[in-house]
Amino acid sequence: MSTVGRRGASTPRELTRVGDRLSFVYLERCTVHRDSNAITAEDADGVTHIPSATIGTLLLGPGTRVTHQAMALLGDSGAGVAWVGEHGVRYYAGGRALTRSSGLIEAQATAWANRRTRLEVARAMYRLRFPGEDTTGHTRQDLLGMEGRRLKECYKRESLRTGVPWRRREYHREDFAAGDAPNQAVTAAAQCMYGVSHSVVAALGCSPGLGFVHSGHERSFVMDVADFYKTEVAIPAAFDAAAEGVEDVAARTRRMLRDRINRTGLLDRCVRDIRDLLGYDGTRDTTQADGTSSDRDRVTLQSDGDVHLEAGRNYGDEIIW
């Protein structure tokens, strides 16, 4: 079996090349196995072969069983694996990230650790959510106020568009059924978006807990990312579902949101948005200490002055103590 050092490097940039990989493949109610360099999915209808090199992240839904050989092949292919709810709208657990580089999580941690850059990223997130909004010089309190006004406008606009009555946002943590149909739909849509964004964050190797708008929770960054598309994708889907009736509104919301996510290519867009917000171009992943490029994983030793030395050699005779 190939070692880490001999396998080709995977970087977050590769996620955006949709022509090279199918980015995210969702399977449910089947047995996942291996046949040579392909992943097989076997169910009552037969066996489907999926070349492992085409998979970015494999999403394992309800009723799936996966063999050790299949997981070994996915690992060698640089594919991520996530265990999710039906149609990928819940995130339960994840295997390794798609990337073997720490470059993106280091970019996230660097931006998060500095109070000034953390605020800059938060402002950029609001600009992404509300195009045309000028966030220059605004404090966090200003941003929260702007968000509140925009969300109220969105609820009102969607209510007028669909004819669904809307009073106010109500979320009952312990009693989902306590809300009216549109509130249940909005809550279901939010839960779906958290699952989708967690899958992307895990696949990229980012830290779910290092948020720029949200804070104090193990999924703060996941909530940040999910909110990018709240007014554009999640809330409209929720009102469309509520417009069709009260019965089974949560399940209908999940189906409508799933279809909208697939139709708009939201997962790949999410990858691009995270990379752009963190100012990450991926060049560090395959650039060696001497400045040359390599297609192998890069492991370095940190020295003074942010100097990175190549690993795998003894520097005892070169360092003056």
Side-chain angles (χ1 to χ4, degrees):
M1 186 172 65
S2 57
T3 64
V4 170
R6 292 174 183 169
R7 288 182 288 174
S10 299
T11 77
R13 286 185 299 170
E14 291 181 330
L15 278 171
T16 64
R17 295 204 288 265
V18 186
D20 296 336
R21 287 181 182 248
L22 298 177
S23 286
F24 294 82
V25 176
Y26 172 79
L27 299 175
E28 65 177 25
R29 296 174 178 85
C30 64
T31 298
V32 182
H33 193 40
R34 170 181 184 170
D35 183 5
S36 297
N37 288 323
I39 293 298
T40 63
E42 182 177 4
D43 59 11
D45 296 326
V47 179
T48 300
H49 286 71
I50 308 170
S52 60
T54 67
I55 301 174
T57 298
L58 182 64
L59 305 180
L60 298 174
T64 52
R65 294 183 297 173
V66 59
T67 68
H68 183 276
Q69 291 183 31
M71 291 300 297
L73 177 59
L74 289 165
D76 280 343
S77 302
V81 180
W83 282 259
V84 299
E86 189 170 11
H87 302 303
V89 297
R90 295 284 195 281
Y91 176 93
Y92 297 130
R96 50 165 295 167
L98 173 61
T99 177
R100 289 189 292 276
S101 167
S102 64
L104 191 51
I105 191 174
E106 288 181 10
Q108 179 189 8
T110 299
W112 179 89
N114 182 286
R115 186 173 298 179
R116 177 183 58 80
T117 55
R118 196 190 308 183
L119 179 56
E120 288 177 354
V121 173
R123 289 170 177 162
M125 286 180 168
Y126 278 107
R127 289 196 299 272
L128 177 66
R129 293 176 60 185
F130 308 121
E133 192 79 70
D134 183 11
T135 62
T136 305
H138 284 290
T139 65
R140 290 187 177 275
Q141 188 63 43
D142 294 336
L143 296 176
L144 290 174
M146 293 160 60
E147 177 188 29
R149 291 190 295 272
R150 286 288 194 130
L151 284 176
K152 287 182 178 179
E153 292 172 2
C154 180
Y155 291 134
K156 181 178 180 180
R157 182 172 63 250
E158 293 303 316
S159 176
L160 291 172
R161 181 181 67 85
T162 60
V164 175
W166 177 262
R167 294 191 300 273
R168 64 181 181 274
R169 176 70 175 120
E170 294 180 351
Y171 171 54
H172 303 274
R173 183 182 297 272
E174 304 299 331
D175 187 5
F176 177 80
D180 56 19
N183 267 290
Q184 288 183 29
V186 169
T187 298
Q191 291 172 341
C192 291
M193 293 305 297
Y194 291 150
V196 169
S197 64
H198 203 151
S199 296
V200 175
V201 168
L204 288 173
C206 291
S207 169
L210 296 184
F212 295 85
V213 175
H214 293 86
S215 182
H217 191 273
E218 64 176 348
R219 296 202 299 170
S220 294
F221 189 57
V222 170
M223 297 176 190
D224 284 355
V225 174
D227 279 355
F228 293 169
Y229 318 106
K230 179 184 289 185
T231 58
E232 179 186 351
V233 178
I235 294 177
F239 273 82
D240 285 341
E244 294 190 4
V246 177
E247 289 295 322
D248 207 22
V249 66
R252 193 163 56 252
T253 299
R254 289 192 288 269
R255 290 192 295 269
M256 287 187 171
L257 189 58
R258 174 203 64 200
D259 294 341
R260 188 170 301 209
I261 288 170
N262 291 336
R263 186 173 62 251
T264 60
L266 187 68
L267 293 172
D268 294 302
R269 177 181 166 191
C270 186
V271 170
R272 293 193 298 270
D273 288 340
I274 291 174
R275 184 197 63 183
D276 292 343
L277 284 165
L278 297 178
Y280 183 74
D281 61 9
T283 54
R284 266 198 55 191
D285 294 339
T286 56
T287 303
Q288 302 181 102
D290 60 4
T292 61
S293 179
S294 172
D295 62 354
R296 302 172 71 181
D297 289 327
R298 183 181 184 225
V299 182
T300 63
L301 304 172
Q302 294 192 41
S303 186
D304 298 320
D306 198 31
V307 173
H308 291 259
L309 305 173
E310 290 300 329
R313 57 181 294 187
N314 192 317
Y315 291 93
D317 295 334
E318 303 177 34
I319 297 176
I320 300 176
W321 300 95

